[in-house]
Amino acid sequence: MTIAAAGTGWTLPRVRGLTWITWRQHRMALLGAVAVLGGFSVFMLVHGMAMHRDYHRLGLGSCGSFTTDACQNALGSFQHRYQSVTDFLPVPLAFVPALIGAFVGAPIVARELESGTFRFAWTQATDRVRWTVVKLTVLTVVLAGLALAFSALYGWWFHPWEPILGRIQSGKAYEVEGVVFAARTVFAFALGALLGAVLRRTLVAMAVTLAVWIGVVLSSAIYLRPHIMAPVVAQLSKGGFIRNGWTLSSWMQDASGHHLSSGEQDALGRQAGTAAANAADQRAAYDQWFVQHGYTNWTKYQPNSRFWHFQLVEGVAYLVLTLLLGAATVWWVRRRAA
Amino acid sequence: MTAVEAQAVGKRYGRTWALRDCTLAVPSGRVVALVGPNGAGKSTLLNMAVGLTTPTTGRLTVLDGTEPGSSTALDGIAFVAQDTPLYPNLSVADTLRLVANLSNRWDEANARQRLADLDIPLGRRVGKLSGGQHAQVALAVALARHPEFLILDEPVARLDPLARHDFMAVLMAAVADEGLSVLLSSHVVAELERVCDYLVVLSRGQVQVAGDVDELVATHRVLTGPAGELDAVASAFDVVHAHSAERQAIALVRITRPVPTPAGWRLDETNLEELVLSYLRAPRASALPGPLGERRAMSA
Amino acid sequence: MELDKQGSSAIAFRLDPASGVPPYQQIVRQVEDALRLGYLSPGDQLPKVKDVVAALAINPNTVLKAYRELEHKGLAAGRPGLGTFVEAGLDVVPLRDLHSLRRKLVKWLDEADEAGLDDESVSALISSARHEMRSSKRMTAS
């Protein structure tokens, strides 16, 4: 009679065993996540290689701030070919963390409760707390790894655009590159696990997870993110703009600091136009008129250099949420099962 | 040595009390039957014993005072729940591996031998097994853990007669081999008599009968006689339940010492099924372990 | 024809749940019958508890109880670690004598049936006749 002792407690064989169980029970969900990320990855690889090649071929790498005519032409050509995909891609990708996280997280506890298999799984020699902790930890690490790798790939793909568009603009590359993408993925995962445990139904938990996640992510991006660091307030030349930062607002003000409304700006524009009508360089005279009358342009923005600071702050915040949700899930499972 | 001990255990779900003031000491080393109508609280009691839920009031311990759900209790108790849940998408071999990975003492050879004896292919997905095979896999996996105590919640309710027999045969052979304590719940009484040697009847959330099967059967008799004399007989005997037709009456009585059969009446032995049914029909009667002759009134 | 060979046991048991006789007693009687009919002789091993239990799906204690009763009657003895073995035999009636007795009995039962006796009356008659036979034997012996 051979009896294999896997050991009590947190021994390596036990953790290995629970890891195998986690893989065996959730491999379909993980493969689904890999498929989704993989699909986008293949696209980015193919598209990215062409985009990088054209970037170098057009000589945009040595353009600096795109002041010369040649650079402006090259930029225009590059943008014409690739901007629409670049602008569009982050939109569906921004939601991928929610889909993946909910899809992998919700069934962990919910499926056991729904199908009644918890009566089998949670009455073996390993208690359900240990079972839950190992599952949550292993899957969090795997999902984080996949998401970080994906973010790195996106970073490579997006690299040509960094001097042009910057990475810090809300709603664009920021949502996919860096660590926020992965942090949001594990946040969705932990949220899905907890809601699955509480609601006891997989599909319902997935739906609620998506809804809550969207609410949290959107409101934090809109209301919290701008305040992570106090924005830079800078004066612009007339017609100037911050190329690769995240512009929060811009305005024109008079000599006393009063912000002008768009109606007032239109009126001034007509005045300036009339005054510059007879000048040799109409464009320069038009701009000069504003300067002479004390009108200045300002902008409030977050510079591109702050990208990692913002990413880390948000990332840590989502990570803390994830840990709290994970702890809550373990606590809930521990309470009672039936 | 007690396998399960309950002291005034109650369990409330919302407004309903599934169990109420249950006091019970189930001996170890026996095959114990837990019977009662649906909704009597059998599953609730079993869920508490395996740590899936906790009592609202009172205290329940297993394996001589151990807390259910503790590592000792989880290790020593194997549970086969209602409808023998297993993961349908796992193969039989993967199911073995899963339980092995969760167990402290796992006898792989034992499990494989059992399944081989029953011609259950290891590569087949659990969801594709027949009802009888499914139940046998659940049982094999539980037995290969070499538990001290095996709890089964209506394990054969959905099986055909042959599958039922085969399941019970494997279970009884394991009891013969290892002397493990068994607690099995059922709402079908007829087949329990040959398998169980200790009986607990749960009715309306309370323990109505608890005792050794042989002793219970030996201390009850069936009186048959003229319907008109039923009241007189009832005053002399401890009647559990009686029913009468126009001319003839039949009463199940509890006897604690030899009593003479009243003239014109016949005294017969009874069997487990008749005994259980009579008690279930008489909610206020009870037969609980205590000093001879004592009969505790059931709380309403 | 479906035939399940039941291991190495000399005899096999069956249970009649409707007979009103407790299972353990049915086993005792079946062993005694086997002894009488010559299926078992002293020194033979009684079926292992595990085998009986696996075939009949009954509680092992029932079998143990039956075997203990047989020990008590002096018919069997347990050998630790080996099993339970037949100690003494009941008087084995040669098969030929058994046939002739049986034929006579069937004939007598036929007569009793013709005379209008029901089963209960026949049993009562047999009991009282046995009683009479035994007391007369005792008287002749003393």
Side-chain angles (χ1 to χ4, degrees), chain C:
Chain C
M1 180 189 75
E2 285 275 352
L3 174 65
D4 280 334
K5 294 215 86 179
Q6 200 177 307
S8 53
S9 316
I11 58 167
F13 296 120
R14 62 172 284 270
L15 281 189
D16 184 359
S19 68
V21 178
Y24 90 93
Q25 212 152 353
Q26 291 186 39
I27 293 180
V28 171
R29 286 193 195 169
Q30 286 177 43
V31 169
E32 290 175 341
D33 287 346
L35 284 170
R36 279 195 201 94
L37 293 172
Y39 290 113
L40 285 176
S41 326
D44 287 342
Q45 184 177 20
L46 293 179
K48 294 206 189 78
V49 174
K50 186 178 172 184
D51 291 340
V52 179
V53 149
L56 295 180
I58 56 170
N59 193 306
N61 282 338
T62 311
V63 184
L64 289 170
K65 205 164 152 190
Y67 285 10
R68 268 201 302 273
E69 171 97 352
L70 289 164
E71 279 185 30
H72 189 69
K73 288 189 174 185
L75 294 171
R79 293 185 209 160
L82 293 170
T84 312
F85 292 78
V86 179
E87 277 288 289
L90 296 169
D91 297 318
V92 179
V93 183
L95 234 52
R96 196 186 47 238
D97 293 347
L98 214 56
H99 270 315
S100 123
L101 280 171
R102 194 190 166 83
R103 248 183 300 120
K104 290 178 188 165
L105 183 60
V106 168
K107 198 147 163 263
W108 182 89
L109 282 171
D110 204 28
E111 280 183 42
D113 192 57
E114 299 273 323
L117 286 172
D118 65 8
D119 288 351
E120 294 258 327
S121 311
V122 168
S123 300
L125 192 57
I126 291 177
S127 295
S128 86
R130 184 188 289 127
H131 187 79
E132 190 187 307
M133 180 269 290
R134 289 231 170 99
S135 36
S136 81
K137 264 212 173 143
R138 257 180 269 138
M139 281 204 292
T140 49
S142 56

Side-chain angles (χ1 to χ4, degrees), chain A residues 29-52:
Chain A
L30 282 176
L31 289 176
V34 167
V36 168
L37 291 177
F40 280 106
S41 299
V42 167
F43 172 78
M44 285 195 300
L45 274 171
V46 172
H47 184 270
M49 286 201 289
M51 190 165 75
H52 279 63

Side-chain angles (χ1 to χ4, degrees), chain A residues 31-261:
Chain A
L31 289 176
V34 167
V36 168
L37 291 177
F40 280 106
S41 299
V42 167
F43 172 78
M44 285 195 300
L45 274 171
V46 172
H47 184 270
M49 286 201 289
M51 190 165 75
H52 279 63
R53 196 188 52 223
D54 278 357
Y55 181 82
H56 290 300
R57 196 176 49 78
L58 288 166
L60 284 163
S62 48
C63 265
S65 51
F66 308 100
T67 38
T68 66
D69 278 348
C71 276
Q72 298 246 349
N73 285 335
L75 180 62
S77 178
F78 187 70
Q79 281 176 312
H80 174 77
R81 193 173 298 174
Y82 296 108
Q83 178 116 25
S84 48
V85 170
T86 307
D87 280 345
F88 171 73
L89 197 58
V91 175
L93 282 178
F95 291 97
V96 163
L99 288 171
I100 291 179
F103 189 63
V104 178
I108 293 181
V109 177
R111 199 170 49 191
E112 301 285 342
L113 295 173
E114 242 178 342
S115 62
T117 48
F118 72 96
R119 292 198 182 93
F120 170 63
W122 293 353
T123 53
Q124 303 299 327
T126 304
D127 67 271
R128 56 185 186 264
V129 165
R130 218 165 301 223
W131 182 95
T132 309
V133 166
V134 172
K135 278 204 174 187
L136 290 178
T137 310
V138 167
L139 291 172
T140 300
V141 167
V142 170
L143 285 179
L146 289 172
L148 285 172
F150 185 79
S151 290
L153 180 65
Y154 185 90
W156 166 83
W157 177 81
F158 185 76
H159 188 64
W161 290 98
E162 202 186 325
I164 303 166
L165 295 176
R167 298 188 284 183
I168 199 165
Q169 271 184 49
S170 205
K172 303 268 194 266
Y174 182 87
E175 316 294 343
V176 189
E177 200 179 332
V179 294
V180 167
F181 183 80
R184 281 198 191 133
T185 306
V186 298
F187 166 60
F189 167 77
L191 185 61
L194 178 61
L195 288 172
V198 171
L199 299 174
R200 305 171 86 96
R201 299 246 180 291
T202 311
L203 289 178
V204 171
M206 280 188 195
V208 176
T209 302
L210 284 173
V212 171
W213 184 94
I214 289 173
V216 169
V217 164
L218 279 181
S219 49
S220 81
I222 294 172
Y223 299 112
L224 296 179
R225 188 184 295 162
H227 304 291
I228 290 178
M229 271 178 95
V232 170
V233 179
Q235 183 173 1
L236 298 169
S237 58
K238 185 80 182 72
F241 64 98
I242 301 294
R243 179 176 288 283
N244 63 351
W246 177 25
T247 303
L248 296 168
S249 62
S250 41
W251 67 95
M252 186 191 289
Q253 64 187 51
D254 64 15
S256 58
H258 163 72
H259 291 214
L260 299 171
S261 71

